[in-house]
């Protein structure tokens, strides 16, 4: 029996994917697995009982990944599960930036009591005139699950689409419309595009990537959309670019006090994944990842350990070992099992930076003494026997 704890409200549609082996608990200290959305976890003390954490969404800035890795806690996220919801909001932001829809709505609301509203509207509507997006050039920076959907949608709307991603996967490349021009460097997007939209992760290497240097290379009156993370854009440099006329409008899903309320900034209250469908899809994926790990030992969509799978567990014993990525670990494991006269039928080992994961399917049962020998191997962080 496994116990799970939700640190935020999680879609019941997703939680229904748990079967009778799983029981919900409100006591974090009792839980084998945790499900989280936005709750800050850096101050949480994790006991040895915690085996995995699932972030019901994509970003994992609220989870102490290194601490979890050191404790052998596998952290999952749900890439692509909310991609369509974010794509649709990006398209809304694109249209809001081209036509002063928000300003027009505010004007109508402020003048709702005017007796001659129809006539007044005809006199004032030119103040809110905009331009069409068809034929305009848009640069999509980052062609992951969301970026590729945005690029394809923009192409279908008649825009000339430039895509840039130095780490473009084969799977994504297959999904990308042939109408999308794949740029070999980001400067090409800065030089050519009327619109730029960000779809890259928030990492130390991407912090403030859109700064004065980047703005100086962009076209005048460029429109910048940021539905990834606020940290990607240097706020002070953005404000300067707006004042200089380099940036016509900035559309973002991340409220920052310095830009909220500014005339040329359209700021949304982090609505990207806030749809019932997205929350349900993320929760379903998270539960499936947790179940696959707990029941079969397979890791799918982890952010702090390598993905690794041996398929469904069959007869015999499956041993999974989380350990540091150093030489001779596999040799030590196989030696211990050989000395115990245990036959390994299939084995997998994958590494990711400083950490590695080894899966061993063994014929028959494995005695506790053998498991303890494996556990005592230096650099082993956590071991499970299924």
């Amino acid at each position: 029996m496994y116990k799970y704890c939700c640190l935020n409200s999680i879609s019941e549609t997703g939680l229904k994917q748990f079967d009778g082996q799983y029981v919900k608990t409100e006591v974090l200290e009792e839980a084998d697995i945790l499900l989280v959305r936005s709750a800050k976890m850096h101050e949480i003390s994790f006991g040895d009982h915690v085996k995995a954490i699932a972030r019901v969404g994509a970003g994992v800035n609220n989870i102490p990944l290194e601490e979890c890795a050191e404790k052998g806690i596998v952290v999952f996220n749900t890439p692509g599960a909310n991609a369509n919801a974010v794509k649709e909001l990006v398209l809304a932001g694109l249209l809001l930036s081209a036509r002063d829809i928000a300003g027009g709505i505010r004007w109508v609301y402020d003048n709702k009591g005017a007796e001659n509203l129809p006539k007044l509207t005809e006199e004032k509507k030119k103040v809110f005139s905009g331009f069409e997006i068809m034929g305009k050039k848009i640069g999509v920076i980052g062609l992951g699950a969301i970026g590729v959907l945005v690029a394809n949608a923009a192409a279908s709307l008649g825009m000339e689409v430039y895509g840039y991603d130095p780490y473009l996967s084969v799977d994504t490349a297959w999904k990308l419309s042939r109408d999308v021009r794949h740029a070999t460097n980001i400067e090409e997007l800065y030089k050519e595009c009327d619109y730029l939209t960000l779809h890259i992760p928030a990492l130390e290497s991407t912090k403030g990537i859109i700064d004065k240097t980047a703005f100086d290379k962009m076209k005048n009156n460029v429109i910048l959309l940021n539905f990834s993370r606020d940290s990607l854009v240097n706020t002070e440099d953005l404000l300067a670019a707006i004042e200089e006329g380099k940036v016509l409008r900035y559309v973002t899903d991340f409220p920052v006090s310095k830009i909220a309320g500014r005339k040329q900034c359209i700021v949304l209250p982090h609505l990207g994944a806030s749809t019932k469908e997205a929350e349900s899809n993320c929760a379903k994926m998270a539960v499936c990842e947790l179940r696959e790990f707990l029941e079969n030992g397979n890791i799918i969509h982890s952010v702090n350990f390598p993905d690794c799978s041996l398929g469904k567990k069959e007869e015999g014993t499956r041993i999974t070992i989380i350990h540091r990525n150093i030489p001779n670990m596999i040799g030590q494991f196989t030696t211990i099992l050989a000395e115990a006269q245990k036959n390994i039928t299939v084995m997998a080992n994958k590494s990711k930076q400083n950490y590695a994961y080894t899966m061993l399917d063994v014929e028959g049962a494995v005695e506790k003494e053998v498991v303890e020998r494996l556990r005592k191997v230096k650099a082993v962080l956590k071991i499970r026997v299924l």
Side-chain angles (χ1 to χ4, degrees):
M1 188 73 71
Y2 297 110
K3 292 184 178 181
Y4 68 91
C5 181
C6 301
L7 303 188
N8 295 105
S9 176
I10 305 297
S11 168
E12 287 297 325
T13 304
L15 296 180
K16 287 179 181 177
Q17 304 300 308
F18 283 127
D19 64 13
Q21 306 180 70
Y22 297 84
V23 176
K24 187 175 184 180
T25 178
E26 302 298 328
V27 183
L28 188 147
E29 290 74 18
E30 296 179 350
D32 298 291
I33 51 178
L34 307 175
L35 292 96
V36 60
R37 291 177 63 194
S38 58
K40 306 298 182 183
M41 302 186 69
H42 290 274
E43 302 302 320
I44 292 177
S45 177
F46 300 103
D48 293 336
H49 54 88
V50 179
K51 301 172 179 63
I53 298 169
R55 162 68 168 96
V56 186
V60 290
N61 293 18
N62 57 321
I63 303 174
L65 299 181
E66 185 66 24
E67 179 186 347
C68 289
E70 282 296 312
K71 291 181 175 292
I73 300 172
V74 180
V75 179
F76 298 93
N77 69 346
T78 57
N82 61 10
N84 186 68
V86 178
K87 175 209 74 177
E88 291 186 359
L89 195 64
V90 172
L91 294 180
L94 186 63
L95 296 171
L96 286 168
S97 68
R99 311 281 291 272
D100 191 7
I101 300 168
I105 292 172
R106 283 195 299 269
W107 182 88
V108 172
Y109 181 82
D110 292 340
N111 292 274
K112 60 183 180 295
E115 293 182 6
N116 59 340
L117 184 57
K119 181 180 178 181
L120 191 60
T121 297
E122 293 304 313
E123 295 174 355
K124 294 290 186 180
K125 69 178 184 180
K126 60 183 178 181
V127 176
F128 309 107
S129 64
F131 40 85
E132 298 179 17
I133 62 174
M134 177 177 278
K136 301 298 191 301
K137 295 179 180 179
I138 183 170
V140 182
I141 303 173
L143 294 169
I146 297 170
V148 70
L149 293 181
V150 171
N152 291 346
S156 70
L157 289 172
M159 301 188 78
E160 189 174 338
V161 184
Y162 290 68
Y164 172 73
D165 192 330
Y167 308 106
L168 182 67
S169 69
V170 174
D171 183 56
T172 298
W174 277 105
K175 297 175 182 177
L176 199 61
S177 168
R178 64 181 181 179
D179 294 323
V180 176
R181 176 175 176 175
H182 189 208
T184 56
N185 60 75
I186 198 169
E187 283 75 16
E188 183 178 356
L189 275 65
Y190 294 158
K191 179 182 177 182
E192 297 291 339
C193 295
D194 307 296
Y195 293 84
L196 291 167
T197 179
L198 303 176
H199 302 287
I200 54 180
L203 307 171
E204 193 60 36
S205 59
T206 60
K207 185 177 181 180
I209 191 172
I210 305 300
D211 57 5
K212 185 180 187 304
T213 301
F215 286 123
D216 287 345
K217 296 176 182 178
M218 296 178 192
K219 296 175 67 173
N220 288 331
N221 293 319
V222 69
I223 292 176
L224 177 64
L225 297 96
N226 179 12
F227 287 78
S228 290
R229 281 292 181 267
D230 63 299
S231 62
L232 301 176
V233 179
N234 183 300
T235 302
E236 298 300 330
D237 291 351
L238 168 68
L239 294 174
I242 291 174
E243 291 297 325
E244 295 165 6
K246 176 67 72 170
V247 175
L248 178 63
R249 288 197 181 98
Y250 177 59
V251 188
T252 183
D253 201 24
F254 306 99
V256 175
S257 58
K258 288 187 177 182
I259 63 171
R262 290 187 66 98
K263 186 177 180 180
Q264 289 165 273
C265 295
I266 300 172
V267 185
L268 306 177
H270 202 184
L271 301 177
S274 296
T275 68
K276 290 182 180 180
E277 293 86 351
E279 292 176 4
S280 175
N281 291 339
C282 288
K284 286 179 182 178
M285 182 182 285
V287 170
C288 288
E289 291 166 351
L290 291 170
R291 289 195 60 178
E292 190 64 32
F293 177 65
L294 291 179
E295 296 168 29
N296 294 307
N298 299 321
I299 295 180
I300 304 171
H301 297 147
S302 174
V303 292
N304 63 342
F305 285 102
D307 284 7
C308 187
S309 175
L310 283 182
K312 185 177 180 180
K313 178 188 174 298
E314 303 294 346
E315 294 183 359
T317 302
R318 176 168 291 178
I319 304 171
T320 68
I321 308 173
I322 295 173
H323 55 91
R324 300 191 191 284
N325 183 24
I326 59 176
N328 197 36
M329 294 301 290
I330 297 175
Q332 293 182 78
F333 300 151
T334 55
T335 296
I336 290 171
L337 291 170
E339 290 175 351
Q341 300 296 305
K342 302 299 176 184
N343 185 43
I344 300 172
T345 57
V346 63
M347 177 178 67
N349 171 267
K350 294 289 182 68
S351 63
K352 185 174 185 177
Q353 297 178 348
N354 296 325
Y355 302 97
Y357 188 62
T358 298
M359 303 179 71
L360 303 138
D361 279 0
V362 180
E363 290 182 350
V366 177
E367 293 78 10
K368 290 183 179 180
E369 294 78 8
V370 178
V371 175
E372 282 306 307
R373 286 189 63 192
L374 292 169
R375 194 188 312 276
K376 290 179 181 178
V377 172
K378 188 176 180 181
V380 167
L381 300 172
K382 186 166 286 188
I383 185 170
R384 294 177 62 227
V385 179
L386 307 177

